[in-house]
Amino acid sequence: MVLVCPVCGERGIGKVGIGQYYCKDCCIEFECKNDTIKIYNVQDDGTLIAIPEDSTLKDNVEVAQ
Ligand SMILES: [Zn+2]
């Protein structure tokens, strides 16, 4: 299984913890657990904001709020 960013499909993701990954292109973190992916928007201060999964996998997802 090749892990890619669930938002942009980037393969150059970094691992930040057990089951946790970071996409520098999107500035998001995501967590893979039991076939479920949780996506977090990383704020400037490091706070993680959960992004609903159904808002991903669209073209040019806008995560700005
Ligand atoms: Zn990405």
Side-chain angles (χ1 to χ4, degrees):
M1 172 180 167
V2 177
L3 272 172
V4 299
C5 172
V7 176
C8 71
E10 169 64 51
R11 290 179 179 221
I13 55 173
K15 191 171 185 178
V16 294
I18 296 172
Q20 289 184 298
Y21 305 89
Y22 176 73
C23 176
K24 63 181 180 343
D25 280 6
C26 308
C27 289
I28 55 131
E29 281 190 20
F30 57 98
E31 190 176 32
C32 297
K33 253 186 208 169
N34 303 324
D35 293 336
T36 305
I37 297 181
K38 288 185 179 177
I39 304 166
Y40 302 93
N41 192 354
V42 184
Q43 305 301 113
D44 288 343
D45 64 359
T47 305
L48 300 181
I49 307 286
I51 301 173
E53 195 176 353
D54 55 2
S55 71
T56 63
L57 302 177
K58 295 177 185 170
D59 291 335
N60 299 318
V61 171
E62 293 184 20
V63 293
Q65 298 179 12

